[in-house]
Amino acid sequence: MHDDDILTGAVMEETWLTVEQMATVCTVEPRWLKHHLEEGLFPRTECVAGTWRFSGEHLRRARRMREMERVFDAEPELAALVADLLEEMEDMRARLRRAGLD
């Protein structure tokens, strides 16, 4: 188990993070997150009373995108596409497990 897994486990699923908290956990600048929000790269993100709220799902996505951008020097849109594909693969694997086909 990795430290990342602990932060995105069941407890994180019921907790919301602000932009500043999310940036700290992801080791990025808040402007990195704000830019990605403005570009629409965080689907299903909520803004409540002027405060963006991020879930554990968003945390996993942000870390994946940050890693793609850092390691492969990927453009944000490409990093988001890779994150989309990884999320879809995880969803499909979960469906297979539930159906007993894994």
Side-chain angles (χ1 to χ4, degrees), residues 80-97:
L81 176 61
V82 170
D84 289 343
L85 293 173
L86 291 171
E87 291 164 9
E88 185 66 27
M89 285 175 40
E90 287 175 353
D91 183 53
M92 294 170 104
R93 286 181 179 137
R95 289 183 196 180
L96 287 172
R97 276 193 299 279

Side-chain angles (χ1 to χ4, degrees), residues 55-102:
S55 68
E57 179 184 329
H58 296 121
L59 177 58
R60 284 186 294 276
R61 181 177 183 80
R63 285 183 166 166
R64 285 178 173 154
M65 290 189 323
R66 178 204 63 198
E67 193 69 11
M68 292 294 111
E69 290 175 26
R70 187 180 64 78
V71 173
F72 299 106
D73 197 28
E75 293 294 323
E77 296 80 8
L78 179 59
L81 176 61
V82 170
D84 289 343
L85 293 173
L86 291 171
E87 291 164 9
E88 185 66 27
M89 285 175 40
E90 287 175 353
D91 183 53
M92 294 170 104
R93 286 181 179 137
R95 289 183 196 180
L96 287 172
R97 276 193 299 279
R98 284 192 301 273
L101 301 172
D102 58 337

Side-chain angles (χ1 to χ4, degrees), residues 42-61:
F42 280 100
R44 299 174 305 280
T45 307
E46 292 184 53
C47 185
V48 177
T51 302
W52 287 101
R53 298 182 352 163
F54 296 91
S55 68
E57 179 184 329
H58 296 121
L59 177 58
R60 284 186 294 276
R61 181 177 183 80

